[in-house]
Amino acid sequence: MPLEVMNSDENFYLWWVPLVKNSVDIGQSEKFPNGKTVKRYVFNESEVKGLTAFRPHYSEMYSPDAQGQVLVSEDFKQAWVDAGLTGIEFKLA
Protein backbone atom coordinates (compact mmCIF):
# COMPACT_ATOMS: atom_id res chain seq x y z
CA MET A 1 0.00 0.00 0.00
CA PRO A 2 1.44 3.42 -0.84
CA LEU A 3 2.28 5.61 2.12
CA GLU A 4 2.26 9.38 1.65
CA VAL A 5 5.07 11.19 3.47
CA MET A 6 4.79 14.97 3.65
CA ASN A 7 8.49 15.86 3.96
CA SER A 8 9.96 13.46 1.40
CA ASP A 9 9.75 12.93 -2.34
CA GLU A 10 10.89 9.33 -1.93
CA ASN A 11 8.25 6.59 -2.23
CA PHE A 12 7.50 4.61 0.90
CA TYR A 13 5.23 1.61 1.23
CA LEU A 14 3.33 0.08 4.12
CA TRP A 15 3.08 -3.71 4.31
CA TRP A 16 -0.02 -4.79 6.16
CA VAL A 17 0.18 -8.42 7.30
CA PRO A 18 -3.06 -10.06 8.41
CA LEU A 19 -3.56 -11.86 11.70
CA VAL A 20 -4.83 -15.38 10.95
CA LYS A 21 -7.24 -16.44 13.69
CA ASN A 22 -6.53 -19.82 15.26
CA SER A 23 -3.47 -20.34 13.06
CA VAL A 24 -1.60 -21.82 16.04
CA ASP A 25 -2.45 -25.26 17.41
CA ILE A 26 -2.09 -24.28 21.06
CA GLY A 27 -2.50 -27.85 22.31
CA GLN A 28 0.44 -29.17 20.25
CA SER A 29 2.71 -26.10 20.54
CA GLU A 30 5.58 -26.02 23.04
CA LYS A 31 4.83 -23.53 25.80
CA PHE A 32 6.86 -21.59 28.35
CA PRO A 33 6.50 -22.68 32.03
CA ASN A 34 3.48 -20.40 32.53
CA GLY A 35 1.60 -22.76 30.19
CA LYS A 36 -0.07 -19.97 28.22
CA THR A 37 2.71 -18.42 26.15
CA VAL A 38 3.98 -20.28 23.11
CA LYS A 39 7.70 -21.00 22.86
CA ARG A 40 7.64 -23.02 19.62
CA TYR A 41 4.65 -22.98 17.29
CA VAL A 42 2.74 -25.84 15.75
CA PHE A 43 0.34 -24.49 13.13
CA ASN A 44 -3.14 -25.51 12.06
CA GLU A 45 -2.21 -26.46 8.51
CA SER A 46 -5.71 -25.75 7.19
CA GLU A 47 -5.41 -22.11 8.35
CA VAL A 48 -1.91 -21.30 7.07
CA LYS A 49 -1.47 -23.46 3.97
CA GLY A 50 -0.36 -21.37 1.00
CA LEU A 51 0.14 -18.13 2.95
CA THR A 52 3.19 -15.99 2.19
CA ALA A 53 3.09 -13.98 5.42
CA PHE A 54 0.83 -13.80 8.46
CA ARG A 55 0.71 -12.93 12.13
CA PRO A 56 0.00 -15.93 14.38
CA HIS A 57 -3.01 -16.21 16.68
CA TYR A 58 -4.36 -18.61 19.26
CA SER A 59 -7.42 -18.21 21.46
CA GLU A 60 -5.53 -17.52 24.70
CA MET A 61 -3.21 -14.96 23.07
CA TYR A 62 -3.00 -11.68 24.96
CA SER A 63 -3.97 -8.71 22.78
CA PRO A 64 -3.54 -10.48 19.42
CA ASP A 65 -4.01 -7.29 17.40
CA ALA A 66 -0.95 -5.78 19.10
CA GLN A 67 1.35 -8.71 18.33
CA GLY A 68 4.09 -7.56 15.99
CA GLN A 69 5.52 -10.95 15.09
CA VAL A 70 5.24 -11.74 11.38
CA LEU A 71 5.85 -15.23 10.02
CA VAL A 72 6.83 -15.64 6.37
CA SER A 73 7.26 -18.59 4.05
CA GLU A 74 10.63 -19.91 2.96
CA ASP A 75 9.80 -18.71 -0.57
CA PHE A 76 9.32 -15.16 0.73
CA LYS A 77 12.61 -15.29 2.64
CA GLN A 78 14.52 -16.61 -0.37
CA ALA A 79 13.05 -14.00 -2.74
CA TRP A 80 14.00 -11.25 -0.25
CA VAL A 81 17.57 -12.54 0.08
CA ASP A 82 17.95 -13.13 -3.68
CA ALA A 83 16.86 -9.54 -4.37
CA GLY A 84 19.61 -8.26 -2.06
CA LEU A 85 17.11 -6.53 0.20
CA THR A 86 17.90 -5.71 3.81
CA GLY A 87 15.98 -4.61 6.89
CA ILE A 88 14.49 -7.90 8.01
CA GLU A 89 16.20 -10.36 10.32
CA PHE A 90 14.89 -13.84 9.57
CA LYS A 91 14.78 -16.34 12.43
CA LEU A 92 13.48 -19.87 12.30
CA ALA A 93 10.03 -20.07 13.92
Side-chain angles (χ1 to χ4, degrees), residues 23 25-26 29 39-40 42-43 48-49 59 65 67 92:
S23 53
D25 182 336
I26 191 70
S29 295
K39 184 175 186 178
R40 185 171 299 272
V42 172
F43 297 109
V48 301
K49 186 175 182 173
S59 59
D65 292 329
Q67 300 293 320
L92 192 58

Side-chain angles (χ1 to χ4, degrees), residues 52-71:
T52 301
F54 67 97
R55 290 185 298 135
H57 171 266
Y58 50 94
S59 59
E60 292 86 14
M61 179 179 274
Y62 172 75
S63 189
D65 292 329
Q67 300 293 320
Q69 186 174 37
V70 173
L71 302 172

Side-chain angles (χ1 to χ4, degrees), residues 4-77:
E4 191 172 316
V5 179
M6 295 178 62
N7 63 342
S8 176
D9 292 331
E10 184 178 355
N11 290 327
F12 290 89
Y13 295 89
L14 174 67
W15 183 33
W16 180 80
V17 179
L19 175 141
V20 177
K21 286 201 168 241
N22 299 315
S23 53
V24 177
D25 182 336
I26 191 70
Q28 297 296 317
S29 295
E30 180 184 352
K31 295 167 215 60
F32 284 101
N34 70 11
K36 294 184 178 185
T37 307
V38 173
K39 184 175 186 178
R40 185 171 299 272
Y41 293 114
V42 172
F43 297 109
N44 288 315
E45 183 68 25
S46 63
E47 301 297 327
V48 301
K49 186 175 182 173
L51 296 179
T52 301
F54 67 97
R55 290 185 298 135
H57 171 266
Y58 50 94
S59 59
E60 292 86 14
M61 179 179 274
Y62 172 75
S63 189
D65 292 329
Q67 300 293 320
Q69 186 174 37
V70 173
L71 302 172
V72 300
S73 68
E74 183 64 32
D75 290 340
F76 176 92
K77 177 188 172 221

